[in-house]
Amino acid sequence: MSLFGLKFGKKKLKEEERQLQANNRDFNLQFEYANNSIKTSKYNFFTFLPLNLFEQFQRIANAYFLFLLILQLIPQISSLAWFTTVVPLVLVLAVSGVKDAIDDFNRHKSDKHVNNRPVQVLINGMLKEQKWMNVQVGDIIKLENNNFVTADLLLLSSSEPHGLTYIETAELDGETNLKVKQALTVTAELGEDLQKLTEFNGEIRCEAPNNKLDKFTGTLTLRGEKYALDNEKMLLRGCTIRNTEWCFGLVIYAGPDTKLMQNSGKTTFKRTSIDRLMNVLVLVIFAFLALMCLILAIGNGIWEHDKGYYFQVYLPWAEGVNSASYSGFLMFWSYVIILNTVVPISLYVSVEIIRLGNSFYIDWDRKMYYPLNDTPAQARTTTLNEELGQIKYIFSDKTGTLTQNIMCFNKCSINGKSYGDVYDMSGQRIEINETTEKVDFSYNPLADPKFAFYDHSLIEAVRLNDVPTHRFFRLLSLCHTVMPEEKKEGNLVYQAQSPDEGALVTAARNFGFVFRARTPETITVVEMGETKVYKLLAILDFNNVRKRMSVIVQSPEGDLTLYCKGADTILYELLHPSCNSLKEETTEHLNEFAGEGLRTLVVAYKSLEQDYFQDWIRRHHEASTALEGREDKLSELYEEIEKDLMLLGATAIEDKLQDGVPQTIETLAKANIKIWVLTGDKQETAMNIGYSCNLLNDDMEEVFIIEGSTSDDVLNELRNARKKMKPDSFLDSDEINIQFEKSSKKQIIIPDEQANGVYGLVITGHSLAYALEGNLELELVRTACMCKVVICCRVTPLQKAQVVELVKKYKKAVTLAIGDGANDVSMIKTAHIGVGISGQEGMQAVLSSDFSFAQFRYLQRLLLVHGRWSYIRMCKFLKYFFYKNFAFTLVHFWYGFFSGFSAQTVYDEWFITLYNLVYTSLPVLGMSLFDQDVDDRWSMLFPQLYVPGQQNLYFNKVVFVKCMLQGIYSSLILFFIPYGAMYNTMRSDGKAIADYQSFALMVQTCLLIVVSVQIGLDTSYWTVVNQFFIWGSLSVYFAITFTVYSDGMYLIFTASFPFIGTARNTLSQPNVWLAIFLSIALCVLPVVGFRFLKAQLKPTPSDKVLLKIKEAKKRPPPPSPKRRLRRTSTRRSGYAFSHQHGFGALIMSGRNMRPKSPFATTGTFSPNSDKYKHKGL
């Protein structure tokens, strides 16, 4: 049983096959199938504390501080109180824990929202409303129009004829075009008869739960008969019911077993590369700490043996210490406690505060706020900010992320004339915007009010009864598989199986050729106000090989015509020779359309002779009923009749991109970020969007298409592509090939390889399945990563995650995945950074993401501004923090040689307590929260500034060693200059000043001023806050020093404040201030000199860009004109048509027809009638 989310009892066996009975919960419960509740959270009430602490103690530093705490509890070696470690450790763990708890609470909330959705379940012959989480395998549930599908269901019956149900699968594969599912005839007869549905006791045997979205096999046994089940009879969780009043389904898979959840991936604990590097550095520091403690312990052993042993009368050994070696052993641990400040716990508190602060900047950024749906940007995870400044690969979904999921009829070419552009009085083409005058379709009562077109010359051609224009729109109103719905007269709704078809039929409708109704044998069109009924004689259906569809119709006048639309590359081969001149003109227009990234189709027609058609239809009937070679015979007949076509023109549909997508992609490419598009869409559609949003362009050397159907084919295609891009990569002398030979078992990291030009790669989901296999994955990574752009089409959600995982595995690069649907969740969870777009496809992606916003274009600001600033700030913080703590701590090390290695601290204990907490915490936080090398505008104008983050140049092991050496050098200066200045020194009044307390005060004053000057040198962007923090910290230091070293504090707390009068006696001496000035100069001047010479003699690319920006600031550039990104295209087909094979046969059979619409043959209008004349154009 399940108790508080924990499972007890025997371990469940792996499911091999699923067996269930409809309406029999008792039978199904014996198999312990999962119920329909889902869980995306990581913790529950009982597991939060142990799991969260386990995750936090994976940080080596946290484990180290726990170890220190244990040491401090041992009185023999403890030189500091236990609470100095407990309080900050508990604080760090609590802050991180609370943050993780809030994140997980939000996940629990979203799970609860989904699990508590209502659904109607058939129980004891009645429909009862139940929560989603209470639905079980074997239940029969009722869904209604626009409902989300509750679980993976076997469709039993529906309101549509023949048990058809229309669904939208946007959440699964990103496609918004309708798909049709059909119930078995034997179950379709059940209808909505609750008695019959209750008595239904079919037994299902099917495959075990899996993540294959396009495959399902099983059998239904009912009354002794067996029926085959396949994917066409399944409604999957994540789909939405459309244009279907109701349907009943039998739950096959529930909750975590559904294909959607099987594809969703696991929630992983994400840590940044800087976190991982800090773990390594902390280990290095531990080793360095151990070495220092060992040296000092050995020194103590030798000193105690040679001197301390004979000195016990004055300085007795501690109780229990009876030998010099034992004293040395204890001193080792005492020094571990004293020198632990090389890794102070305040480092981790500060890191969390900096990340939190930079996360708020993202939340508050008005330039990432989308007012149309009131959506601000949101940093949902606050621990990954600096990694936003190191992204090398972006994996993006297409539908809803790059595109708006809206198809618009944008332009067309009719009889050699292009329509769609708008010109001014001088004949110059003008940009279309909100103020451009739209064509007025109000004269047409059946027009779609949402349709917009701007070229008035086209409506004029229609109204002047131009024959080619009428024929063009007549073709668009007849040649399709759209289903009309007219519940109220004149209120037409089209159920388009493809969004492209919907756009074309809507265009014809607005221009006066209204597709009104259809039956299996007829199509009713209202042509310019006159209702005409065409006989539908044949549909020559679309498929991926033909890339075209045709209809053969007979007009009311008895004329037989074949209308055809399809890809230009295909249709041009089928045209009559007389069309050659028109073909050239249309090709020019097609090039222009394709250059703008529009989806194009060519349309043509052919008049048929009655005798020839009768013979052809007879042969067609024979072929369609043939038992062998049916497809080939039909294909031959289609080829025969679809020749000598007369060209009419071409259509151009815009798959509307989100605002600013091409510009964003262009900017990110300049920042050396590679973009991969992973989409469930078909190849042509994906490539078309690739061109329209500037991912692919005709300046590329080549775009490789990987579409092999076997493992060997895919391997050859990948290798051929690599051979073209970099022939040297096949030589034995190639660096990576040598690495492969050496490291057969070790994990290989593939360095970046440069191709001999700019290339793109397109790979289909089927080929990708082979390429992701063990022996091909290296080949895929090498080839794909050489390309500037990679597009993977027809990929499943799991494949998306596998592609991301592959790049993470073989490339030393930070990855980001961005999407808006449930099909992107696994990819978002797998990448180092997951970004969700709160779009039209629900909130699944946002709920699983680390960052979210409403528009793709905000990604450039997230990375180039917030990401880069966060990375630079974090790197500066770490460099400074390690430097100041090495400088602070190593003075103890040098002091050990002058204090008998006795583990005595060089500083006053109050200074040690307050150094990281008060004196140096605020200036470094000020820099880490407000610093910026350039402002946001320049960050966006010069994306090249982003590159150092990708290469991790600002903080790495080499930079750390430099900080360490600078810290060691500063500690030497800070110890020996005051030591030399104090040695045998007299005050001006002749009194001695060379005492321990004066020396300690001088050292700590030098140290604090030096680190304050250093942070001033590191700060690029001065604000009032920075000034206040730096000067304020120094003022607070002197105020506290004079206070705690005063007579009054000594008199009140004699034991706690022994440094009576030291401040006023020491800091009043000029020679002390001269020594302090000398220490500061010796610490700071080498740093200033090194930085100056490096910038002059060996500037980094970033230095060069910053110099350009300085020059540009002196003479501000004129504002860049807003331009529309257009592509000049060589001959390339802009064909893209998302259509499903088999719809034509479905229409001709009449299985998806409802009773005839009462409005189908009524309601005429004439654009030339008096009623509409005054509204004309």
Side-chain angles (χ1 to χ4, degrees):
M1 64 175 280
S2 175
L3 179 66
F4 307 116
L6 299 171
K7 294 270 183 188
F8 295 99
K10 63 180 181 183
K11 192 179 176 183
K12 194 177 168 185
L13 294 170
K14 191 175 185 305
E15 198 175 332
E16 299 290 337
E17 181 188 61
R18 178 153 291 206
Q19 181 183 358
L20 61 109
Q21 270 185 16
N23 292 313
N24 192 344
R25 280 193 173 185
D26 293 335
F27 176 82
N28 299 326
L29 280 171
Q30 66 180 314
F31 300 106
E32 296 183 3
Y33 295 138
N35 66 13
N36 203 41
S37 69
I38 59 158
K39 176 176 174 285
T40 59
S41 53
K42 287 200 286 187
Y43 316 109
N44 63 31
F45 184 77
F46 293 97
T47 61
F48 173 73
L49 205 59
L51 274 180
N52 190 259
L53 286 174
F54 173 73
E55 283 175 357
Q56 293 209 53
F57 280 113
Q58 285 182 332
R59 270 186 181 164
I60 292 171
N62 284 348
Y64 163 66
F65 292 124
L66 187 64
F67 170 67
L68 264 186
L69 174 60
I70 295 164
L71 285 183
Q72 285 180 330
L73 296 173
I74 303 169
Q76 285 85 350
I77 58 173
S78 177
S79 47
L80 292 170
W82 60 271
F83 55 80
T84 55
T85 300
V86 167
V87 174
L89 179 61
V90 169
L91 186 70
V92 170
L93 296 176
V95 167
S96 299
V98 167
K99 191 168 53 56
D100 289 340
I102 291 167
D103 287 348
D104 208 57
F105 176 73
N106 290 332
R107 282 191 283 267
H108 272 285
K109 223 160 73 170
S110 88
D111 288 348
K112 191 176 176 185
H113 172 71
V114 172
N115 288 333
N116 287 327
R117 282 178 180 164
V119 66
Q120 296 180 69
V121 183
L122 186 64
I123 300 173
N124 300 326
M126 293 171 64
L127 283 172
K128 293 184 181 174
E129 194 168 279
Q130 295 274 319
K131 292 176 180 175
W132 273 30
M133 62 190 213
N134 296 329
V135 170
Q136 294 185 14
V137 170
D139 286 353
I140 291 177
I141 63 175
K142 181 183 182 181
L143 297 172
E144 294 176 345
N145 196 26
N146 297 327
N147 278 5
F148 289 110
V149 177
T150 311
D152 288 357
L153 312 174
L154 171 67
L155 178 60
L156 296 178
S157 62
S158 82
S159 56
E160 303 302 291
H162 304 279
L164 293 179
T165 297
Y166 297 94
I167 58 165
E168 186 183 275
T169 58
E171 288 247 336
L172 288 175
D173 57 17
E175 291 188 12
T176 51
N177 48 302
L178 294 183
K179 294 185 173 65
V180 66
K181 300 287 183 179
Q182 185 172 12
L184 285 167
T185 310
V186 68
T187 61
E189 292 165 357
L190 299 171
E192 57 179 334
D193 187 327
L194 297 185
Q195 187 59 39
K196 284 184 183 175
L197 285 163
T198 307
E199 290 167 1
F200 177 71
N201 62 350
E203 189 170 314
I204 308 285
R205 281 181 181 271
C206 62
E207 61 195 16
N210 59 65
N211 55 35
K212 293 179 178 132
L213 291 170
D214 55 352
K215 184 175 162 288
F216 176 79
T217 52
T219 59
L220 164 66
T221 307
L222 184 64
R223 296 190 287 273
E225 292 286 324
K226 264 193 179 181
Y227 302 90
L229 303 177
D230 57 25
N231 205 44
E232 296 308 305
K233 297 168 183 60
M234 292 292 292
L235 305 178
L236 302 184
R237 181 176 180 138
C239 299
T240 310
I241 305 294
R242 296 285 189 223
N243 302 324
T244 307
E245 282 183 33
W246 53 262
C247 66
F248 284 88
L250 171 66
V251 178
I252 306 292
Y253 306 119
D257 291 343
T258 57
K259 291 183 186 282
L260 177 70
M261 295 305 294
Q262 291 273 313
N263 272 289
S264 68
K266 289 181 180 175
T267 301
T268 53
F269 178 56
K270 292 185 179 181
R271 291 159 68 218
T272 66
S273 53
I274 282 184
D275 265 343
R276 292 189 291 273
L277 175 63
M278 274 167 61
N279 263 359
V280 174
L281 296 182
V282 166
L283 285 174
V284 171
I285 293 170
F286 290 166
F288 182 63
L289 175 65
L291 179 66
M292 286 195 297
C293 293
L294 186 64
I295 291 167
L296 293 167
I298 291 168
N300 177 265
I302 294 168
W303 191 88
E304 291 289 1
H305 183 270
D306 292 350
K307 293 186 179 180
Y309 180 77
Y310 306 103
F311 206 49
Q312 288 186 56
V313 176
Y314 179 71
L315 196 66
W317 283 353
E319 191 181 332
V321 176
N322 48 23
S323 70
S325 55
Y326 186 55
S327 171
F329 172 75
L330 291 179
M331 282 304 153
F332 177 86
W333 299 110
S334 294
Y335 270 115
V336 166
I337 293 169
I338 285 176
L339 301 179
N340 82 77
T341 46
V342 280
V343 192
I345 197 159
S346 58
L347 169 70
Y348 287 93
V349 179
S350 304
V351 164
E352 292 297 331
I353 292 169
I354 292 164
R355 284 173 173 165
L356 192 65
N358 285 310
S359 297
F360 281 130
Y361 291 150
I362 294 169
D363 294 348
W364 296 336
D365 192 343
R366 288 190 176 185
K367 290 179 182 174
M368 290 167 69
Y369 169 73
Y370 191 57
L372 289 183
N373 55 8
D374 188 28
T375 308
Q378 192 180 4
R380 296 172 53 79
T381 305
T382 55
T383 53
L384 304 171
N385 306 60
E386 69 271 12
E387 200 136 78
L388 288 170
Q390 298 179 273
I391 303 298
K392 187 69 185 286
Y393 290 90
I394 290 175
F395 299 90
S396 174
D397 176 39
K398 181 192 77 72
T399 311
T401 304
L402 300 177
T403 64
Q404 293 183 34
N405 236 352
I406 300 168
M407 299 288 178
C408 295
F409 180 83
N410 194 292
K411 293 182 180 179
C412 62
S413 168
I414 304 173
N415 201 31
K417 187 173 187 321
S418 177
Y419 297 96
D421 287 317
V422 181
Y423 298 89
D424 60 15
M425 301 299 285
S426 61
Q428 293 292 314
R429 186 157 65 179
I430 59 173
E431 203 70 50
I432 293 171
N433 54 38
E434 293 88 22
T435 59
T436 310
E437 188 189 357
K438 295 179 183 177
V439 171
D440 183 7
F441 293 108
S442 59
Y443 69 85
N444 179 352
L446 294 173
D448 183 344
K450 294 193 286 289
F451 180 82
F453 201 76
Y454 300 91
D455 186 355
H456 296 257
S457 62
L458 183 55
I459 196 76
E460 286 298 324
V462 171
R463 294 175 67 178
L464 291 170
N465 296 322
D466 179 60
V467 174
T469 307
H470 276 219
R471 191 173 278 144
F472 177 87
F473 284 114
R474 186 177 295 118
L475 182 148
L476 296 186
S477 68
L478 292 168
C479 185
H480 55 78
T481 57
V482 173
M483 297 296 297
E485 197 171 9
E486 192 172 2
K487 289 182 177 172
K488 290 181 186 172
E489 185 172 355
N491 183 12
L492 270 171
V493 178
Y494 291 142
Q495 297 173 18
Q497 189 260 334
S498 143
D500 307 69
E501 286 213 314
L504 292 175
V505 177
T506 301
R509 167 184 174 178
N510 276 57
F511 282 102
F513 288 75
V514 185
F515 167 56
R516 194 79 188 262
R518 76 153 77 239
T519 70
E521 297 87 25
T522 65
I523 297 175
T524 304
V525 179
V526 180
E527 292 185 8
M528 305 303 290
E530 186 183 345
T531 301
K532 289 190 175 182
V533 180
Y534 288 83
K535 284 186 181 173
L536 178 60
L537 303 173
I539 295 180
L540 284 55
D541 205 1
F542 171 93
N543 68 33
N544 284 328
V545 178
R546 284 167 44 75
K547 294 188 179 178
R548 64 187 184 274
M549 77 162 288
S550 301
V551 295
I552 300 173
V553 295
Q554 186 174 31
S555 69
E557 294 78 30
D559 297 328
L560 285 171
T561 313
L562 178 143
Y563 292 111
C564 181
K565 67 181 181 195
D568 47 3
T569 50
I570 301 290
L571 249 67
Y572 274 3
E573 302 297 318
L574 308 174
L575 294 179
H576 192 275
S578 65
C579 298
N580 283 346
S581 61
L582 178 57
K583 187 164 108 175
E584 285 174 18
E585 291 173 341
T586 307
T587 301
E588 277 183 35
H589 297 155
L590 280 170
N591 288 348
E592 191 184 323
F593 299 158
E596 292 175 28
L598 302 177
R599 299 158 71 114
T600 59
L601 287 173
V602 168
V603 295
Y605 76 101
K606 177 184 180 181
S607 296
L608 300 173
E609 295 293 329
Q610 187 74 39
D611 295 341
Y612 168 73
F613 176 70
Q614 290 303 329
D615 176 56
W616 183 88
I617 200 76
R618 178 184 56 76
R619 288 183 287 134
H620 177 269
H621 178 71
E622 287 171 7
S624 61
T625 53
L627 295 175
E628 289 181 10
R630 182 185 301 175
E631 291 297 323
D632 294 337
K633 287 175 182 175
L634 284 172
S635 184
E636 282 175 27
L637 281 168
Y638 292 169
E639 292 279 346
E640 178 194 315
I641 201 166
E642 289 173 327
K643 65 183 181 188
D644 293 337
L645 301 176
M646 301 302 293
L647 180 61
L648 269 175
T651 64
I653 291 173
E654 182 182 7
D655 186 356
K656 273 193 172 294
L657 293 173
Q658 285 199 12
D659 293 340
V661 165
Q663 293 88 340
T664 301
I665 285 169
E666 188 179 45
T667 306
L668 293 174
K670 284 179 187 169
N672 199 30
I673 296 172
K674 293 188 175 180
I675 298 177
W676 293 25
V677 176
L678 311 177
T679 176
D681 266 6
K682 59 195 280 192
Q683 183 183 315
E684 292 91 354
T685 311
M687 284 184 73
N688 201 275
I689 289 297
Y691 279 104
S692 65
C693 64
N694 274 16
L695 276 168
L696 301 173
N697 59 61
D698 293 312
D699 297 332
M700 286 182 163
E701 305 284 332
E702 191 173 342
V703 176
F704 302 109
I705 296 176
I706 311 297
E707 50 188 353
S709 52
T710 68
S711 188
D712 291 340
D713 289 348
V714 173
L715 180 63
N716 290 333
E717 287 175 353
L718 288 169
R719 283 194 169 158
N720 290 338
R722 181 154 65 91
K723 198 173 280 184
K724 281 187 185 174
M725 289 190 285
K726 191 183 178 187
D728 295 351
S729 65
F730 284 88
L731 299 175
D732 292 338
S733 58
D734 182 69
E735 179 193 343
I736 298 174
N737 293 337
I738 294 167
Q739 195 183 335
F740 286 164
E741 285 174 22
K742 282 183 184 174
S743 53
S744 53
K745 291 180 183 174
K746 206 179 96 181
Q747 175 64 57
I748 300 164
I749 297 294
I750 302 174
D752 286 343
E753 298 179 87
Q754 291 301 317
N756 55 20
V758 179
Y759 294 89
L761 182 116
V762 178
I763 183 165
T764 63
H766 189 261
S767 302
L768 187 63
Y770 291 112
L772 289 169
E773 288 173 359
N775 56 336
L776 284 187
E777 59 179 22
L778 272 169
E779 191 64 51
L780 174 65
V781 172
R782 284 193 74 179
T783 306
C785 290
M786 273 194 230
C787 297
K788 187 184 176 190
V789 174
V790 178
I791 296 177
C792 304
C793 38
R794 284 284 181 223
V795 290
T796 65
L798 191 69
Q799 281 179 325
K800 289 185 179 187
Q802 287 172 331
V803 170
V804 177
E805 190 60 56
L806 194 66
V807 173
K808 278 174 70 180
K809 182 178 173 185
Y810 289 110
K811 302 295 282 187
K812 195 178 178 183
V814 181
T815 59
L816 178 145
I818 179 168
D820 72 323
N823 56 322
D824 304 314
V825 167
S826 54
M827 167 175 84
I828 284 168
K829 285 180 177 177
T830 305
H832 292 102
I833 302 278
V835 177
I837 292 205
S838 41
Q840 299 176 14
E841 293 187 21
M843 294 292 284
Q844 284 293 112
V846 170
L847 293 170
S848 304
S849 66
D850 305 306
F851 301 89
S852 69
F853 41 71
Q855 295 276 292
F856 181 84
R857 69 175 184 271
Y858 298 146
L859 184 62
Q860 63 180 328
R861 188 168 176 82
L862 182 73
L863 301 188
L864 302 184
V865 178
H866 293 287
R868 204 177 71 81
W869 283 351
S870 293
Y871 172 69
I872 289 172
R873 288 165 182 167
M874 185 59 74
C875 293
K876 279 190 173 185
F877 165 77
L878 291 171
K879 283 192 288 189
Y880 174 75
F881 210 91
F882 282 124
Y883 161 72
K884 79 179 177 73
N885 282 296
F886 271 109
F888 170 73
T889 307
L890 264 70
V891 174
H892 287 301
F893 180 75
W894 310 123
Y895 184 59
F897 289 89
F898 295 84
S899 62
F901 306 98
S902 57
Q904 185 183 344
T905 58
V906 70
Y907 310 112
D908 166 27
E909 63 180 19
W910 284 102
F911 181 78
I912 293 172
T913 307
L914 299 174
Y915 177 71
N916 277 315
L917 198 65
V918 176
Y919 299 149
T920 60
S921 60
L922 288 179
V924 73
L925 278 178
M927 180 187 71
S928 308
L929 289 172
F930 301 110
D931 202 48
Q932 41 183 273
D933 52 350
V934 292
D935 65 22
D936 56 343
R937 187 168 67 94
W938 295 107
S939 294
M940 302 276 271
L941 281 173
F942 289 91
Q944 306 91 317
L945 286 169
Y946 189 80
V947 175
Q950 295 172 332
Q951 298 166 352
N952 208 10
L953 294 182
Y954 292 149
F955 190 76
N956 51 44
K957 289 171 188 171
V958 174
V959 171
F960 171 73
V961 169
K962 285 180 186 173
C963 294
M964 199 168 161
L965 292 173
Q966 188 191 350
I968 293 170
Y969 166 75
S970 293
S971 70
L972 279 164
I973 299 293
L974 291 167
F975 179 78
F976 286 103
I977 296 290
Y979 179 78
M982 281 286 191
Y983 195 69
N984 289 337
T985 304
M986 305 290 285
R987 276 169 43 144
S988 54
D989 59 2
K991 292 179 182 175
I993 195 175
D995 61 277
Y996 160 69
Q997 293 184 344
S998 298
F999 170 69
L1001 178 67
M1002 191 175 172
V1003 170
Q1004 62 201 37
T1005 305
C1006 284
L1007 170 69
L1008 200 66
I1009 296 173
V1010 164
V1011 296
S1012 297
V1013 171
Q1014 181 66 42
I1015 202 159
L1017 291 174
D1018 287 347
T1019 301
S1020 307
Y1021 182 68
W1022 286 92
T1023 65
V1024 175
V1025 178
N1026 293 76
Q1027 296 273 10
F1028 176 73
F1029 282 171
I1030 291 172
W1031 296 111
S1033 293
L1034 285 170
S1035 305
V1036 166
Y1037 164 70
F1038 285 111
I1040 290 176
T1041 301
F1042 278 98
T1043 303
V1044 298
Y1045 295 175
S1046 66
D1047 298 359
M1049 294 300 284
Y1050 175 73
L1051 292 171
I1052 300 167
F1053 305 104
T1054 306
S1056 299
F1057 299 102
F1059 280 46
I1060 178 173
T1062 309
R1064 64 174 180 269
N1065 290 339
T1066 308
L1067 295 178
S1068 61
Q1069 300 303 308
N1071 60 338
V1072 169
W1073 282 105
L1074 278 170
I1076 289 172
F1077 180 75
L1078 178 63
S1079 300
I1080 295 165
L1082 286 173
C1083 285
V1084 171
L1085 282 177
V1087 177
V1088 174
F1090 174 76
R1091 289 184 184 181
F1092 174 77
L1093 290 172
K1094 186 171 178 290
Q1096 295 299 315
L1097 304 176
K1098 201 179 173 185
T1100 62
S1102 190
D1103 290 333
K1104 292 173 186 171
V1105 174
L1106 290 170
L1107 189 66
K1108 273 187 196 173
I1109 291 171
K1110 275 183 187 171
E1111 289 168 4
K1113 279 179 179 175
K1114 290 172 190 170
R1115 38 178 179 74
S1120 54
K1122 286 189 178 177
R1123 61 191 176 87
R1124 185 169 173 182
L1125 284 158
R1126 284 183 184 271
R1127 296 174 49 258
T1128 53
S1129 174
T1130 53
R1131 180 71 202 107
R1132 174 183 71 77
S1133 172
Y1135 162 73
F1137 193 56
S1138 51
H1139 201 296
Q1140 193 176 337
H1141 175 59
F1143 235 65
L1146 190 65
I1147 285 169
M1148 292 296 286
S1149 70
R1151 291 204 309 272
N1152 63 338
M1153 300 294 173
R1154 287 213 180 105
K1156 204 170 183 182
S1157 165
F1159 313 113
T1161 55
T1162 60
T1164 62
F1165 74 95
S1166 168
N1168 300 315
S1169 69
D1170 293 336
K1171 183 180 173 183
Y1172 296 107
K1173 264 184 183 171
H1174 68 285
K1175 296 182 184 175
L1177 298 167

